[in-house]
Amino acid sequence: MGEKLPQVQGDPQLRRDTLSRPVRTLRAKMVLLGSSGVGKSSLALRFCKDEFRNTSPTVGCAYLTQVMHLSDVTLRFEIWDTAGEEKYHSVTPLYYRGAHAALLVYDVSKRDTFIRAQVWLRELEKQYVAGSTVLWLVGNKGDLAQHRQVSVQEGQSLANDRGLLFTETSALSGDQVDKLLLAVAHRVYECVGAQQGGLSEWQETPHVDLRRRNHLFASCCKVGP
Amino acid sequence: MDGEAQRATASWGNGTLAPGDHLRSDRAESPTPGLVEGTEPGAGQKSAMFVHAQSFEDLTAEAEEEVRREADINNPGDSEEELNVLVGEKEPHLTSESKSKEEDVSSEAWRSHRKHVFVLSEAGKPIYTRYGTEEALSSTMGVMMALVSVVESEKNTIRSIHADGCKVIFLTKSPLVLVGVSRTSQSDKELLRELQYIYYQIVSLLTLTQLNHIFQHKQNYDLRRLLAGSEYLTDNLLHRLDRDPGLLLSAVTCLPLASSARDTVSSSLQAAKSKNLVFSILLAGDRLVTLLRKKDQFLHHIDLHLVFNLVGSSSSFREGEGWTPICLPKFNTAGFFHAHISYLEPASQLCLILVSTDREDFFNMSECKQRFLERLSRRTAYQALKDALKSPTYSVEHVGIPELRHFLYKSKSSGLYTSPEFPDVYISDSEQERLMGLYQELHSSLHHPTRPLRFFYRCGERENLLAWVTSGFELYLCFSPLGTKALAVAAVTKLLKWIRKEEDRLFILSPLTY
Ligand SMILES: Nc1nc2c(ncn2[C@@H]2O[C@H](COP(=O)(O)OP(=O)(O)O)[C@@H](O)[C@H]2O)c(=O)[nH]1
Ligand SMILES: [Mg+2]
C-alpha cells in the first residue's frame, strides 16, 4: 500500500483565477466495477457519508454524489455504484462510458474476484482513451488478514503491469478510504481536468431539500450516464 | 372446523353461478342489493388504475398472446446486442455465494416444509429451489423433468400429482418448468397461480426474449449464473405469497390518506412528467400512495407486485438513487423498462418509482423527482402525508362490529383492497399465517374452476368465516367463534356501509394520468 499520492501541480493561471472569483466546481464521473459482494456499495457509502452499514445487494446501479474540495478547485463526484452481477452486464457500459475514474474493486479474501477484476479491466481497455480515464485497482476488505487470498504484491504488480494505480482499503474500518478518494480526485483533476474539455463545470440548479441538507437531493445537469 | 356447516353451505353454490335460495335471502338484506362492478365501495370514479376485470382468472389463463399484443411503447431494440454479451462471452467460473439456505435435502426437516418450489430448465437443469441447494437437487429435478417429458411425449401435459397428503403441481412455461410440492389445502389452481408469480419474477429479471434466446443457443445453459444475487427476490416473493393478501386477491392496498391530500400528491406527481416516463408510483412501505400512468397504459397488478417485491426486498435504494432495468412481464415480456427508485428522505418510508422506457433517462427521471419534491414541499399535503405514515393501518374496532376480528375487502373495478391490522388474537406470525391460510381456502372455494361459490359461511372452533363475491367486490370476514350466522350476515351490511363512508380515505378514487 505504498502508493504515493499524486501531487496536484497547481496551474498558475488557475491559481490566479481563484483569487478573483469563487472556486470552480467540476463534474467528475466515477464508476465502481467488480464482482458483487466485494464491497463497492460499502466503499461508496464511506465516500459519501463516511458510514459503514450492512447493505443488501445493489439492484441495477446506485447513483450517489460527493463533493471534494481541492486547493484550487472543487470536484463533484457523480458515483455510479454498479451491481456487478452478470445479468446487468449488458447495461454496464452505460456507466463506464465517459467515466473520468473507474475503480476496479476486488475482495482480497476471494481470489475469483481478483480474476474478475481483470476481466473488467480487459473490457475497459477496449474502450480506453488514453488520458481520459483514471483506472484504479482497489483491493478491499484489507481487514480480513486471516482470510487473505490475494497478496498486496500481487495487486501491486498487476497494477504496475497494466499501468493502473493501486490501493488496498477496508470499507469496514475505513482504512485508506478517505485517502483513496482524495488521491482519485487529485489524479482526475491532474490528468483529465488539464485537458481541453476534460471536465465540465457544474451548474447548480435550484433544488429542494426536504431535510435542508443540500447534498442529499442535489440535482444535476442533463447529461446521460 | 365444522364440516357439517361447511358442506351445508357449500351446497348452495351447487355447481352453478346462480345464487341458491339462502343466498338470495342473504343478499336481500344487503344495503345495496345488486351491487355491480363500478359502483361498489372503493370503485374508481373515472377509469380503473390497473388491468382489472378477471384479474384472478387472468393469471391462470394463458395470457401470452395478449402480452405479445401489448402496446409497442417499449423498444427492445438494443436487446440483440445485450444478448450477445450474455451468451457469447466466456468468463472465469465464479463460485456461487454459499447459500444461507443450505440444508440437507435428505433430511426429514427438508421433506416436511409446507411448500417447496423448484424451477428447472427444459433440459432438466436446476435453476431454483426454495429450500436446500440446487446442486444437491439436480437428480430430483432430473426426475421431475423426466415426468414432464414422458407425459408430453404422449401429446399431453402433466398438471398435478396427488399423493399422500401432498400435491405436486407442474407448470411448463417454455423454456422453464416450475414445480410446486405442497402440503397445504390450497387448490391446484391456487398453487398454479403461485408458480405463475415465480415465473413472472424470473421473466422480470431477464425478459422472456432473453430467456428464449439463451436456451435456443445453449439448451444446457446454467441459468443460475444470470440469476445469481437475485434468489432472494424469489424467496421473498414466496414469503409474500404466504402472507400478503394483495397477492391472494390480485389487488393492492393503499395508505389511508385524506383524499384532498392524496389528490395534491397525485397532481404534484402529474406535473413532473417527462417524455418517456410511463408509470410513477409512490409507495409507503407496501402501501400505495398514488400511481400515475401514461394515458392508455395500464399497469397490471402482477407487475405492480413485482415492483413492490423488488423495492421491499432491498435496502440498496436507501443509498442514493437506484437505476435498474426491469421487465414488467404482463406489459411486455420482450423488453426492459428502466426504473428510477429512491426514497423521498433517507429514513422515510416513502419510495418513489419512476418507470421510463429509455435506459439513458436517469437524469431526466432524477429531475422529475426534483420537480415533484419541489411542488410537494410547497403544499401542506406533504405534512398530511407524513402524518398519515404514522398510522398506516387501522383497527377493526373502528368499524364497530364487536364480533368482527378481521376482514379483506376488494373492490374489483379498481383492483384495490382494504384490510385492518391484525387484532391481538392473530398477533403472532404463526397465527397470521394460519388466518391467511383460511382466507386462501375461502378464496379457493370462491374461485373453484368448476364449482365456484358466491357465498360461503363456515364455523370453526377458533373463528367463524364468511366469504362473499359479487360482480363488484370480494369480501372475506373473520368473526369470533361465538358469533352466529345471522350476526355475520348483518355485519356484512354494516361493514359495507362503513367502507362506503371511508372510501375516500381507504381507496384511490380519482387516479390521474399523464
Ligand atoms: N470485512 C469486511 N467486510 C466488508 C468490507 N466491505 C464490505 N464488506 C461486506 O461485504 C458484503 C458486501 O458488501 P457490498 O458493499 O454490498 O458489496 P458490493 O456488492 O460490491 O456492493 C457486505 O456484507 C459488507 O458488509 C470490508 O472492508 N471488510
Ligand atoms: Mg453493491
Side-chain angles (χ1 to χ4, degrees):
Chain A
M1 281 190 282
E3 176 60 30
K4 269 203 226 97
L5 300 188
Q7 297 294 308
V8 172
Q9 307 299 316
D11 175 351
Q13 182 66 38
L14 254 173
R15 277 274 160 75
R16 207 164 348 104
D17 279 2
T18 55
L19 293 177
S20 50
R21 62 191 174 109
V23 170
R24 295 188 306 154
T25 301
L26 300 179
R27 302 173 64 198
K29 178 173 171 180
M30 177 197 282
V31 62
L32 296 169
L33 298 168
S35 311
S36 61
V38 297
K40 296 179 296 300
S41 301
S42 304
L43 282 171
L45 191 59
R46 274 275 177 214
F47 287 161
C48 299
K49 298 191 187 160
D50 198 19
E51 286 172 18
F52 181 84
R53 225 177 300 142
N54 251 323
T55 54
S56 53
T58 309
V59 177
C61 194
Y63 175 84
L64 304 95
T65 59
Q66 172 66 332
V67 171
M68 291 296 292
H69 300 287
L70 306 186
S71 55
D72 51 5
V73 75
T74 297
L75 287 191
R76 183 173 184 274
F77 273 113
E78 298 175 355
I79 303 172
W80 293 95
D81 167 25
T82 62
E85 286 161 11
E86 203 172 326
K87 68 174 158 295
Y88 298 122
H89 196 127
S90 59
V91 286
T92 315
L94 283 181
Y95 307 114
Y96 63 69
R97 248 175 238 152
H100 303 111
L103 272 54
L104 295 167
V105 189
Y106 65 92
D107 174 349
V108 300
S109 71
K110 287 211 176 95
R111 173 156 296 273
D112 58 312
T113 68
F114 184 60
I115 295 164
R116 181 80 180 133
Q118 297 172 47
V119 176
W120 278 116
L121 179 59
R122 240 179 291 141
E123 186 166 334
L124 282 180
E125 281 170 344
K126 276 189 241 156
Q127 312 255 339
Y128 183 73
V129 183
S132 66
T133 311
V134 172
L135 296 179
W136 214 290
L137 184 67
V138 180
N140 188 42
K141 307 203 187 179
D143 55 285
L144 295 178
Q146 69 280 28
H147 302 291
R148 184 184 279 278
Q149 291 183 356
V150 183
S151 70
V152 185
Q153 291 75 10
E154 264 179 292
Q156 185 67 63
S157 67
L158 174 69
N160 291 346
D161 290 352
R162 310 288 279 273
L164 315 174
L165 291 130
F166 173 68
T167 304
E168 272 202 4
T169 56
S170 167
L172 178 83
S173 71
D175 186 40
Q176 300 298 317
V177 178
D178 288 355
K179 280 189 194 156
L180 170 64
L181 187 62
L182 192 64
V184 173
H186 279 296
R187 193 76 192 191
V188 164
Y189 184 52
E190 179 185 290
C191 296
V192 189
Q195 298 183 355
Q196 268 291 324
L199 297 175
S200 63
E201 196 143 348
W202 184 61
Q203 247 78 41
E204 184 158 15
T205 48
H207 59 256
V208 64
D209 190 338
L210 298 172
R211 292 203 328 164
R212 305 194 194 298
R213 273 186 40 199
N214 281 333
H215 65 278
L216 286 166
F217 290 112
S219 69
C220 20
C221 325
K222 264 182 260 162
V223 172
Chain B
M1 222 71 64
D2 188 341
E4 276 308 306
Q6 181 179 353
R7 219 164 302 127
T9 324
S11 67
W12 295 356
N14 206 22
T16 74
L17 284 172
D21 284 342
H22 289 70
L23 182 52
R24 197 161 287 142
S25 66
D26 286 339
R27 291 181 75 176
E29 290 166 19
S30 134
T32 40
L35 272 178
V36 288
E37 186 165 0
T39 60
E40 78 278 9
Q45 277 160 2
K46 289 181 198 149
S47 47
M49 291 172 61
F50 314 111
V51 173
H52 55 283
Q54 300 299 313
S55 41
F56 173 71
E57 283 69 19
D58 193 37
L59 248 174
T60 38
E62 281 302 319
E64 300 301 73
E65 253 184 36
E66 159 213 317
V67 171
R68 258 181 236 122
R69 275 189 278 106
E70 292 289 4
D72 53 359
I73 74 160
N74 201 346
N75 65 334
D78 40 36
S79 55
E80 194 57 32
E81 162 204 340
E82 295 175 7
L83 296 174
N84 292 334
V85 175
L86 280 165
V87 181
E89 192 161 314
K90 285 257 182 323
E91 289 190 358
H93 177 74
L94 306 179
T95 46
S96 59
E97 288 285 312
S98 65
K99 264 188 200 169
S100 55
K101 56 184 183 183
E102 220 148 303
E103 187 177 325
D104 183 2
V105 299
S106 58
S107 69
E108 197 46 46
W110 184 84
R111 227 172 293 212
S112 60
H113 285 297
R114 275 176 67 242
K115 204 182 288 168
H116 282 276
V117 172
F118 308 97
V119 182
L120 42 146
S121 71
E122 280 173 324
K125 255 214 152 98
I127 294 170
Y128 172 83
T129 173
R130 185 179 193 178
Y131 303 106
T133 61
E134 290 83 16
E135 289 87 350
L137 288 163
S138 54
S139 58
T140 312
M141 297 213 200
V143 173
M144 288 173 184
M145 195 54 230
L147 276 171
V148 173
S149 336
V150 165
V151 179
E152 254 171 18
S153 66
E154 319 235 297
K155 303 251 176 312
N156 212 328
T157 314
I158 189 162
R159 292 189 189 284
S160 66
I161 302 172
H162 294 220
D164 204 14
C166 199
K167 272 183 197 144
V168 187
I169 308 291
F170 294 85
L171 174 65
T172 35
K173 283 275 203 184
S174 178
L176 304 182
V177 176
L178 296 95
V179 183
V181 179
S182 167
R183 297 180 183 281
T184 66
S185 49
Q186 279 172 290
S187 65
D188 287 12
K189 194 175 171 185
E190 297 279 344
L191 293 166
L192 210 52
R193 178 180 63 88
E194 302 194 354
L195 292 181
Q196 293 261 8
Y197 261 110
I198 301 306
Y199 167 73
Y200 285 124
Q201 174 65 68
I202 293 172
V203 171
S204 134
L205 289 165
L206 301 174
T207 75
L208 184 59
T209 309
Q210 189 166 290
L211 272 177
N212 284 330
H213 184 95
I214 288 166
F215 285 108
Q216 271 157 23
H217 279 72
K218 211 175 156 199
Q219 246 197 339
N220 233 346
Y221 187 82
D222 185 358
L223 197 64
R224 284 179 307 151
R225 245 176 78 171
L226 282 186
L227 293 175
S230 302
E231 300 88 348
Y232 70 98
L233 286 175
T234 311
D235 293 343
N236 275 336
L237 187 60
L238 281 166
H239 182 71
R240 277 165 188 258
L241 282 165
D242 285 340
R243 299 295 297 273
D244 185 343
L247 291 156
L248 176 69
L249 297 174
S250 303
V252 293
T253 192
C254 306
L255 177 78
L257 180 66
S259 60
S260 58
R262 196 184 315 268
D263 291 348
T264 308
V265 175
S266 305
S267 62
S268 303
L269 200 52
Q270 189 187 34
K273 60 180 157 202
S274 170
K275 187 168 123 263
N276 298 316
L277 178 59
V278 197
F279 300 112
S280 308
I281 305 157
L282 185 63
L283 285 185
D286 270 349
R287 289 162 183 273
L288 197 58
V289 177
T290 188
L291 185 154
L292 269 96
R293 57 179 174 82
K294 252 207 167 95
K295 220 170 175 214
D296 307 325
Q297 308 297 342
F298 291 89
L299 190 53
H300 195 277
H301 57 84
I302 294 178
D303 290 342
L304 194 53
H305 276 294
L306 294 175
V307 172
F308 281 26
N309 188 43
L310 180 74
V311 172
S313 304
S314 174
S315 66
S316 83
F317 307 112
R318 294 229 161 247
E319 318 302 341
E321 299 163 53
W323 182 241
T324 183
I326 180 173
C327 168
L328 300 175
K330 288 304 251 180
F331 193 96
N332 181 355
T333 51
F336 281 117
F337 282 101
H338 300 269
H340 181 280
I341 305 174
S342 63
Y343 285 84
L344 296 196
E345 295 182 46
S348 167
Q349 288 209 69
L350 293 167
C351 183
L352 181 65
I353 301 136
L354 301 170
V355 181
S356 166
T357 51
D358 181 1
R359 67 183 197 175
E360 310 232 2
D361 227 8
F362 174 85
F363 286 111
N364 284 332
M365 293 302 104
S366 189
E367 200 196 297
C368 284
K369 180 194 173 185
Q370 285 310 316
R371 277 190 279 144
F372 168 60
L373 288 180
E374 249 160 65
R375 284 188 157 258
L376 189 60
S377 61
R378 278 191 260 123
R379 321 269 175 114
T380 50
Y382 189 51
Q383 195 49 50
L385 178 55
K386 286 206 271 199
D387 291 341
L389 290 175
K390 290 175 197 147
S391 47
T393 175
Y394 53 92
S395 155
V396 71
E397 278 153 27
H398 286 124
V399 187
I401 303 171
E403 300 79 17
L404 185 63
R405 285 181 173 176
H406 193 254
F407 67 87
L408 308 174
Y409 169 88
K410 173 190 170 184
S411 147
K412 281 191 179 175
S413 58
S414 65
L416 300 171
Y417 80 95
T418 186
S419 174
E421 65 196 358
F422 286 106
D424 287 346
V425 224
Y426 301 105
I427 211 78
S428 74
D429 266 9
S430 60
E431 278 300 290
Q432 277 176 27
E433 239 166 63
R434 192 177 62 81
L435 181 58
M436 275 307 298
L438 294 171
Y439 284 143
Q440 280 173 353
E441 284 172 32
L442 293 179
H443 188 269
S444 291
S445 311
L446 294 188
H447 296 272
H448 194 278
T450 51
R451 297 187 300 108
L453 302 175
R454 310 230 84 194
F455 185 93
F456 194 25
Y457 182 74
R458 182 156 104 184
C459 290
E461 258 166 39
R462 294 154 84 176
E463 55 266 306
N464 296 341
L465 298 160
L466 186 153
W468 185 24
V469 57
T470 72
S471 59
F473 62 79
E474 267 176 51
L475 184 58
Y476 303 83
L477 302 104
C478 167
F479 295 95
S480 94
L482 303 173
T484 62
K485 187 170 151 208
L487 270 174
V489 170
V492 170
T493 313
K494 201 166 173 191
L495 176 62
L496 287 174
K497 273 191 186 146
W498 183 83
I499 295 173
R500 175 65 87 193
K501 183 163 72 66
E502 298 287 324
E503 67 177 350
D504 275 2
R505 222 167 48 82
L506 301 178
F507 295 92
I508 302 174
L509 297 182
S510 37
L512 298 178
T513 56
Y514 287 119

